[in-house]
Amino acid sequence: MIDYTAYDAEALALDESFRAWVLENAESLFWERWLAEHPEKDAAVQQARRVVWALYRAQEEISEAEVDEAIQQLVQRAEEGVAVVPLWRQTWVRVAAAVVLIPLAGWLIFQRNFSEEVSSYHEVVQQIKHEVKLIEFTNTTSRAQSVMLSDGSSVVLQPQTRISYPTIFQTDKREVVLSGEAFFEVSKNPEKPFFVFANGLVTKVLGTSFTVQAYDKDQEVRVIVKTGKVSVFTREDPTADAKQKNRELTGLVLTPNQQVTFRRADSRLVRSLVEKPQLLALSDIQQQSFEFRQAPVSDVFAVLEKAYGVKIVYDEELMGACELTATLGDEPLLEKMHLICKVLEANYELIDAQIVVTGKGCK
């Protein structure tokens, strides 16, 4: 196991696993957990993320080896005090001239003005207007107001929220632009994906219900899923166009009781459970009983997973046979987990929208 605590930002940017996490959201469980355990490394992680994204976005058929070489040579030049030649004049790396180099803690990072790069409400509206005529509605009252869309979808707008949408969805996709907070109930149509553009974040669904919180003054955008599945990705994602054209849900996919927080300053997406997971409104579990009599903990966790739509990760070989006798009522899910873990002498934590349970098992 690699000891990443000894890695600085440069070393992280060079690491294959780290780059896969940044660019493809691979191994997210490991990296989110590692960062939670080592909050002192947050600054180095964010610096490394900026380096990786800047190189990836600006590349012109640049290879992985060239990326490594580019970072290493930049660091070496900074340490030797050599003047940095503008990137567009260097033959050893083909990246965009817009990337700027600055010294920081003995090495170089790529600095970008994210506030300028994140597409604003008006910019996205202008882009969509080229394809279809839009109308705008703003909730200037002190209470929530509803808007019905031509496909039967409904949007509940909170005060000081505005939305732009077509009078009729005529193309092969449904697109709206949001600034503020709104709850969407989208009519299902797999052939015509539904997109919400909000402060640099794109939410894509085929038919589901969810909340988007994206006020212009806030540094974070949040998407909270109530039913169905939701895909999210950033507008600056180099594969954003492909994800929009794909009729499947790609990107970071969320399910009920999950949410994602998009940090606009560093383009970071963090998936997590909602604060109070709710029971799924499904007919086969509406009368779900949480009364257990010498039930294997594997069965208990399976019931909770089905009832709340939340993944519970544990060592089944070690803990699956542990038996539990308990009557759980209408306590919130995390309260149920607390009681179960207390009986099992175990612990749980929330990692990447999953509940991870650890314990010594049963003798």
Side-chain angles (χ1 to χ4, degrees):
M1 178 69 69
I2 299 176
D3 181 13
Y4 286 107
T5 58
Y7 278 41
D8 59 9
E10 173 204 348
L12 287 171
L14 290 170
D15 183 79
E16 183 178 346
S17 173
F18 181 85
R19 288 213 296 261
W21 173 50
V22 174
L23 298 175
E24 305 170 13
N25 199 41
E27 302 184 55
S28 59
L29 181 60
F30 168 80
W31 282 103
E32 293 292 349
R33 183 171 186 173
W34 181 84
L35 190 55
E37 293 174 349
H38 302 285
E40 74 281 0
K41 303 296 292 185
D42 184 70
V45 167
Q46 300 316 319
Q47 292 166 5
R49 286 173 65 92
R50 286 193 285 271
V51 171
V52 172
W53 273 113
L55 279 172
Y56 188 89
R57 275 190 303 273
Q59 68 183 0
E60 297 175 3
E61 298 182 356
I62 187 171
S63 68
E64 288 291 317
E66 288 176 305
V67 172
D68 291 346
E69 181 184 359
I71 297 174
Q72 290 168 344
Q73 290 196 30
L74 288 171
V75 174
Q76 181 179 355
R77 286 168 178 261
E79 291 176 345
E80 294 174 353
V82 177
V84 178
V85 179
L87 285 179
W88 58 92
R89 297 181 184 173
Q90 299 181 31
T91 58
W92 51 269
V93 59
R94 300 184 301 278
V95 294
V99 179
V100 181
L101 300 177
I102 61 172
L104 180 61
W107 68 292
L108 298 180
I109 65 168
F110 289 89
Q111 182 67 31
R112 303 171 57 218
N113 189 334
F114 288 98
S115 61
E116 293 180 359
E117 192 157 308
V118 173
S119 298
S120 69
Y121 174 90
H122 290 294
E123 289 172 330
V124 180
V125 167
Q126 291 302 316
Q127 291 175 9
I128 296 178
K129 272 186 176 180
H130 290 303
E131 299 182 7
V132 62
K133 184 177 180 180
L134 299 179
I135 59 175
E136 182 179 85
F137 176 82
T138 302
N139 181 4
T140 58
T141 72
S142 60
R143 55 185 176 81
Q145 289 191 324
S146 297
V147 172
M148 292 298 297
L149 305 181
S150 63
D151 64 337
S153 299
S154 64
V155 187
V156 179
L157 305 177
Q158 293 302 315
Q160 307 307 312
T161 295
R162 56 183 171 174
I163 186 172
S164 287
Y165 58 95
T167 305
I168 299 176
F169 293 113
Q170 297 177 327
T171 63
D172 60 351
K173 56 189 173 183
R174 299 171 285 174
E175 297 179 325
V176 302
V177 189
L178 178 76
S179 175
E181 178 178 349
F183 174 70
F184 292 82
E185 286 189 299
V186 177
S187 297
K188 189 171 183 179
N189 187 345
E191 299 302 315
K192 188 180 289 189
F194 190 101
F195 296 90
V196 180
F197 297 90
N199 285 342
L201 190 67
V202 183
T203 302
K204 175 182 178 181
V205 304
L206 304 179
T208 184
S209 60
F210 58 97
T211 296
V212 178
Q213 299 172 342
Y215 286 98
D216 289 339
K217 62 181 176 59
D218 293 340
Q219 293 303 305
E220 295 183 341
V221 178
R222 184 170 286 107
V223 176
I224 305 165
V225 181
K226 181 179 181 181
T227 63
K229 291 184 178 182
V230 170
S231 169
V232 296
F233 49 92
T234 65
R235 283 184 54 80
E236 64 178 18
D237 185 332
T239 63
D241 288 342
K243 289 174 180 175
Q244 284 183 235
K245 294 176 182 177
N246 193 327
R247 294 185 182 272
E248 302 297 325
L249 293 181
T250 57
L252 184 61
V253 178
L254 308 172
T255 54
N257 286 320
Q258 292 186 351
Q259 64 181 4
V260 68
T261 301
F262 170 53
R263 289 179 14 182
R264 299 169 66 186
D266 53 21
S267 297
R268 184 182 178 192
L269 290 171
V270 178
R271 180 171 51 188
S272 62
L273 287 180
V274 298
E275 184 177 354
K276 295 182 179 180
Q278 301 295 311
L279 283 169
L280 301 184
L282 303 176
S283 59
D284 60 338
I285 62 170
Q286 285 179 338
Q287 304 300 320
Q288 176 66 60
S289 170
F290 295 110
E291 183 172 341
F292 305 101
R293 290 289 181 269
Q294 293 184 313
V297 75
S298 57
D299 291 351
V300 176
F301 287 161
V303 168
L304 294 178
E305 285 184 325
K306 184 177 181 181
Y308 290 92
V310 174
K311 179 67 176 177
I312 301 177
V313 180
Y314 65 102
D315 187 331
E316 188 168 358
E317 183 177 346
L318 183 66
M319 303 180 62
C322 295
E323 294 185 344
L324 180 72
T325 296
T327 299
L328 305 175
D330 58 358
E331 310 95 340
L333 172 61
L334 299 185
E335 179 77 15
K336 289 182 173 71
M337 291 302 305
H338 174 75
L339 295 173
I340 292 171
C341 287
K342 187 174 182 180
V343 173
L344 298 177
E345 296 184 356
N347 298 291
Y348 78 88
E349 56 184 327
L350 306 180
I351 301 176
D352 193 27
Q354 300 178 110
I355 299 176
V356 179
V357 180
T358 56
K360 60 183 179 180
C362 303
K363 296 181 180 179

